[in-house]
Amino acid sequence: MKFEAVTIKDIARALGLSTSTVSRALRGSYEISADTKQLVLEYAEKMNYQPNPIAKSLKENRSWAIGVIVPEIANNFFSQTINGIDATAYKRGYHVVITQSHESVEREVANVHNLVARRVDGLLVSLSMQTSDIAHFKSLQERGLPIVFFDRISEDISTFKVKANNYKGAYLATRHLIETGCRRIAHLTTASCLSITRERLEGYKAALSDCHIDYHEDYVKYFNDQSDVEQVATDLISMPEKPDAIFSASDRLTTACIAAIQKAGLQVPDDIALVGFTNLHVAEFLNPALTAVTQPAYEMGQIATELLIKLIESKKPIDTFETRILDTTLVIRASSGKKSLPQLL
Amino acid sequence: MKFEAVTIKDIARALGLSTSTVSRALRGSYEISADTKQLVLEYAEKMNYQPNPIAKSLKENRSWAIGVIVPEIANNFFSQTINGIDATAYKRGYHVVITQSHESVEREVANVHNLVARRVDGLLVSLSMQTSDIAHFKSLQERGLPIVFFDRISEDISTFKVKANNYKGAYLATRHLIETGCRRIAHLTTASCLSITRERLEGYKAALSDCHIDYHEDYVKYFNDQSDVEQVATDLISMPEKPDAIFSASDRLTTACIAAIQKAGLQVPDDIALVGFTNLHVAEFLNPALTAVTQPAYEMGQIATELLIKLIESKKPIDTFETRILDTTLVIRASSGKKSLPQLL
DNA sequence: CTGAAAGCGCTAACAT
DNA sequence: ATGTTAGCGCTTTCAG
């Protein structure tokens, strides 16, 4: 079960040269004669020589690997970002080692250690729902490990960050619901410590405020990984002053809402309208066709990777960091169609 | 921007020992005194020593990496298999390098070369739609590289394979459609050279045959990556003897069908029933709620990885290979509800 | 223009 | 029980 590969030594021996000459010839060094170069290159080609990246890594003390930590691979949004990460990394000669936190801090910390032990050249991170303290990233960053955060970022650390315009997405969604006549808009959202949660909540509040609608805490529900979303959604739509719209922050929340609404026998959008953050291709074919806030997931992966590689390859320490904010889009579909209510705006 | 790690040499110097003693102490060799062991272990712990896996790989001439080639990461089924691959590989001390063929043979071949150049210890492969010739895998296998195929496998090579019971899934789906009264069942499916395409077609044919329904070529449509699915679906449901059911082999095909059906103003399942292979969590919330053939994607990834590691770690060459067939399940929903037609069965 | 030798971090055969 | 040494594949001084 051995897979024998041609080495520089093999070439040197076969051609009666030294390994250093072969090495130099292969990388086109100016100090090697044209004849020797050609000889080496042709032989290497013929023997299908492939430099051993492991030896190269050991020598250079870097792995040409990028470590990625995401909450979940089997999630539409993250698999799309990974797609972008992958494409960009390969183009630049890096490979990608993907790990999942499964929304647990412990696993996030374990992954960080594992990736560092594997000597990744840098880290691309989207935080878990449980992560409030990011000491495990800070200490590494201080020791010089390049880290870029994307999507679920932290304010507590200064580095490159890439995120979607969650504020705008939430604002557009909420404003749109208001404009179609909704007044009691509930917001089901992710764990309260996440950046995306805060940003979306602010967009939601701003839209309400701009339209002179009071903000009600009772209409905002936070969910962690364990929550029984459908139960909460059911309770919500059974309230005396039940909401006439739900703005939901993830696919898991949205589907639970749909289930609860269906079971309650309510009509969308007439009894209750629905808008969700989603990157699902099938949003259009859901029942009801889902009005969606979409994020440029692929691009986010691309940009985060480019920034990380910039950090990794920079000669001098970088100390001015930007946070890139990518545009979000509202796609209006049947789940939030016009109502026959008087318009305020 | 350097990330300095503690090495065995550092420990040896600090403790006034030789590197080999430290190395042996760290791996608990019996020839080291308890005192020395403890000394080394404690100091290593204190300094947070992490063995350099790159050096280990160079020494052992193996990377502890598993290469994965899938058509597409941002695809429900494959991201679920990757999840399973990942979990199993990490548990066994391997990391995973994922690449995508994007349904192109050229990219598949390029990925293989890339992964081999990176010295992966083995390969986990699901073939691209364009791949009919698998010479690029055979030659590597002959040179001793462990390869396991999953989902989209090939008959032309002898090794471990893991697949879903596509025959059964297709049989159940077709039979179910027949039992609810459908007689003209179309089958939209993937590229004709894929194993999954053949197996599903056979299951489909067998169900028709068992129920004494003639097989019509016109009702079977194959699609590659480029095809205009919606156009073909539209043509299909405009046929004079238009189908009264569609059995579709992928999400992309299913959504195109739904779109075509919606545009034509047909009712599901009364005018036309629909069953699709899908691993989408939201299948239940599609319009119509989609009757689905589901595959155990996570498990498939797990099992394929276990088999690959078995191959990699086997002392003696393995020459008897099994093909693991995982069960598929039919989940009946509204898209294939009972019709008011006379029952044949 | 080319070769010899050292070293990246680790392990193991070979001393002692 | 511990140290010395060589070597995995490659790059890179340093010497010719």
Side-chain angles (χ1 to χ4, degrees):
Chain A
M1 282 283 108
K2 257 280 112 62
F3 192 83
E4 295 301 344
V6 186
T7 72
I8 275 190
K9 211 192 221 173
D10 297 329
I11 301 179
R13 194 168 3 180
L15 263 36
L17 293 168
S18 74
T19 58
S20 45
T21 302
V22 174
S23 171
R24 280 186 277 240
L26 285 171
R27 46 193 43 256
S29 163
Y30 64 95
E31 21 177 29
I32 302 292
S33 75
D35 286 358
T36 310
K37 261 183 203 168
Q38 202 192 340
L39 185 68
V40 171
L41 255 20
E42 273 174 7
Y43 187 77
E45 170 80 4
K46 185 180 133 217
M47 299 303 285
N48 191 27
Y49 168 76
Q50 309 262 52
N52 184 329
I54 297 173
K56 193 162 173 266
S57 287
L58 182 61
K59 185 97 226 309
E60 295 177 351
N61 195 26
R62 68 206 243 47
S63 60
W64 292 95
I66 289 175
V68 178
I69 306 177
V70 290
E72 213 71 55
I73 294 176
N75 164 304
N76 237 254
F77 174 76
F78 289 115
S79 67
Q80 288 171 25
T81 54
I82 289 172
N83 198 176
I85 290 170
D86 199 67
T88 309
Y90 274 91
K91 213 173 292 168
R92 303 287 300 267
Y94 291 80
H95 68 278
V96 173
V97 180
I98 298 165
T99 66
Q100 313 180 61
S101 66
H102 294 290
E103 305 290 7
S104 138
V105 220
E106 289 83 39
R107 296 181 80 152
E108 185 177 282
V109 172
N111 288 340
V112 174
H113 289 146
N114 192 351
L115 291 170
V116 167
R118 292 207 182 272
R119 304 296 198 269
V120 294
D121 294 339
L123 239 36
L124 243 29
V125 180
S126 192
L127 296 169
S128 97
M129 275 198 187
Q130 291 181 356
T131 310
S132 49
D133 178 21
I134 58 156
H136 48 303
F137 294 113
K138 279 182 119 160
S139 64
L140 289 174
Q141 199 209 22
E142 280 157 17
R143 288 167 56 198
L145 184 74
I147 307 182
V148 171
F149 289 88
F150 68 96
D151 185 46
R152 300 167 171 200
I153 66 183
S154 167
E155 303 300 330
D156 292 350
I157 192 167
S158 176
T159 183
F160 286 120
K161 298 166 194 169
V162 189
K163 62 175 186 177
N165 196 334
N166 288 296
Y167 177 91
K168 179 186 163 193
Y171 185 92
L172 288 178
T174 311
R175 179 101 193 194
H176 162 69
L177 287 168
I178 298 169
E179 284 170 1
T180 57
C182 301
R183 290 297 171 272
R184 298 183 305 283
I185 302 172
H187 180 31
L188 303 204
T189 188
T190 36
S192 56
C193 63
L194 291 178
S195 59
I196 54 172
T197 305
R198 284 195 304 278
E199 293 162 15
R200 291 168 187 179
L201 183 64
E202 277 166 32
Y204 163 80
K205 282 183 177 173
L208 291 181
S209 159
D210 284 358
C211 298
H212 313 293
I213 296 178
D214 288 341
Y215 164 73
H216 285 293
E217 256 188 358
D218 299 349
Y219 284 160
V220 178
K221 305 289 181 191
Y222 304 90
F223 296 89
N224 63 31
D225 210 29
Q226 320 291 329
S227 323
D228 183 348
V229 191
E230 199 176 323
Q231 185 55 53
V232 176
T234 303
D235 292 348
L236 193 70
I237 59 181
S238 318
M239 283 169 71
E241 283 262 26
K242 77 167 184 61
D244 54 10
I246 299 178
F247 163 42
S248 151
S250 80
D251 287 329
R252 185 169 152 259
L253 303 178
T254 305
T255 50
C257 286
I258 295 178
I261 291 170
Q262 283 181 359
K263 281 186 191 151
L266 297 176
Q267 294 303 312
V268 178
D270 294 323
D271 298 327
I272 190 159
L274 192 57
V275 178
F277 262 80
T278 185
N279 269 39
L280 278 178
H281 289 121
V282 296
E284 181 183 351
F285 301 108
L286 290 175
N287 183 17
L290 185 67
T291 295
V293 182
T294 63
Q295 308 175 71
Y298 182 91
E299 258 190 275
M300 197 182 293
Q302 274 187 310
I303 294 174
T305 309
E306 275 158 16
L307 291 173
L308 181 64
I309 293 176
K310 186 168 159 184
L311 267 181
I312 292 173
E313 297 185 349
S314 152
K315 307 290 175 198
K316 50 198 71 170
I318 294 181
D319 48 7
T320 49
F321 298 110
E322 47 173 335
T323 296
R324 293 279 287 275
I325 302 180
L326 308 184
D327 205 21
T328 45
T329 316
L330 179 69
V331 183
I332 298 174
R333 300 201 182 89
S335 73
S336 64
K338 291 266 177 213
K339 302 202 179 189
S340 42
L341 293 180
Q343 301 287 308
L344 273 192
L345 309 165
Chain B
M1 283 277 111
K2 257 278 113 60
F3 192 84
E4 296 301 344
V6 186
T7 72
I8 275 191
K9 210 192 222 172
D10 298 328
I11 300 179
R13 195 168 4 186
L15 263 37
L17 294 166
S18 75
T19 58
S20 48
T21 303
V22 175
S23 172
R24 280 185 278 239
L26 286 171
R27 47 193 41 256
S29 162
Y30 63 95
E31 19 179 31
I32 301 294
S33 74
D35 287 356
T36 310
K37 261 185 204 168
Q38 201 191 340
L39 184 69
V40 170
L41 255 20
E42 272 174 7
Y43 187 77
E45 171 78 5
K46 184 180 133 215
M47 299 302 287
N48 191 27
Y49 167 77
Q50 311 261 52
N52 185 329
I54 297 172
K56 191 160 175 268
S57 288
L58 183 61
K59 186 103 234 300
E60 296 177 351
N61 195 26
R62 65 206 244 47
S63 60
W64 290 95
I66 289 175
V68 177
I69 306 177
V70 290
E72 213 72 55
I73 294 176
N75 164 303
N76 237 255
F77 174 75
F78 289 114
S79 66
Q80 288 170 26
T81 52
I82 289 172
N83 199 175
I85 291 170
D86 199 67
T88 310
Y90 274 91
K91 214 173 290 170
R92 302 288 301 266
Y94 290 80
H95 67 277
V96 172
V97 180
I98 298 164
T99 67
Q100 315 181 61
S101 65
H102 294 289
E103 306 289 8
S104 137
V105 219
E106 287 84 39
R107 296 181 80 154
E108 184 175 284
V109 172
N111 287 340
V112 174
H113 288 145
N114 192 353
L115 291 170
V116 167
R118 292 205 182 273
R119 304 296 197 270
V120 293
D121 294 338
L123 238 36
L124 243 29
V125 180
S126 191
L127 296 169
S128 97
M129 276 200 186
Q130 290 181 357
T131 309
S132 49
D133 178 20
I134 58 155
H136 48 301
F137 293 114
K138 280 183 118 159
S139 63
L140 289 173
Q141 199 209 20
E142 278 157 18
R143 288 167 56 198
L145 184 73
I147 306 183
V148 172
F149 289 88
F150 67 95
D151 185 48
R152 300 165 172 201
I153 65 182
S154 168
E155 303 301 330
D156 293 351
I157 192 167
S158 176
T159 183
F160 286 122
K161 299 166 194 171
V162 189
K163 63 175 186 178
N165 196 335
N166 288 295
Y167 177 92
K168 179 186 165 194
Y171 185 93
L172 288 178
T174 310
R175 180 102 193 193
H176 162 69
L177 287 168
I178 297 170
E179 285 170 1
T180 57
C182 302
R183 289 299 171 270
R184 299 184 305 282
I185 302 171
H187 180 30
L188 303 204
T189 189
T190 36
S192 56
C193 61
L194 291 178
S195 58
I196 54 172
T197 305
R198 282 194 305 278
E199 294 162 14
R200 291 168 187 179
L201 183 63
E202 277 166 33
Y204 163 81
K205 281 183 178 174
L208 292 181
S209 160
D210 284 0
C211 299
H212 314 293
I213 296 179
D214 287 342
Y215 165 72
H216 283 293
E217 255 189 359
D218 298 350
Y219 284 160
V220 178
K221 305 290 181 189
Y222 303 91
F223 296 89
N224 62 32
D225 208 29
Q226 319 291 329
S227 323
D228 184 347
V229 190
E230 199 176 324
Q231 185 55 53
V232 176
T234 304
D235 293 349
L236 192 71
I237 59 181
S238 318
M239 284 169 69
E241 281 262 28
K242 77 166 184 61
D244 54 11
I246 298 178
F247 164 41
S248 152
S250 80
D251 287 328
R252 185 169 151 259
L253 302 178
T254 305
T255 50
C257 285
I258 295 178
I261 291 170
Q262 283 182 359
K263 282 187 189 150
L266 297 176
Q267 294 304 310
V268 178
D270 293 322
D271 297 327
I272 189 160
L274 191 58
V275 178
F277 262 81
T278 186
N279 269 39
L280 276 178
H281 289 122
V282 296
E284 180 182 352
F285 301 108
L286 291 176
N287 183 17
L290 185 66
T291 295
V293 182
T294 63
Q295 308 174 73
Y298 182 90
E299 257 190 276
M300 197 182 292
Q302 274 187 310
I303 294 173
T305 308
E306 275 158 15
L307 291 174
L308 181 65
I309 293 176
K310 186 168 159 187
L311 266 181
I312 291 173
E313 298 185 349
S314 153
K315 309 288 176 200
K316 49 198 73 170
I318 294 181
D319 49 6
T320 50
F321 299 110
E322 49 174 333
T323 295
R324 293 280 286 274
I325 303 180
L326 308 184
D327 204 21
T328 45
T329 316
L330 179 69
V331 183
I332 298 174
R333 300 201 182 90
S335 73
S336 64
K338 292 265 178 211
K339 302 202 180 190
S340 41
L341 292 180
Q343 301 285 309
L344 273 190
L345 308 164

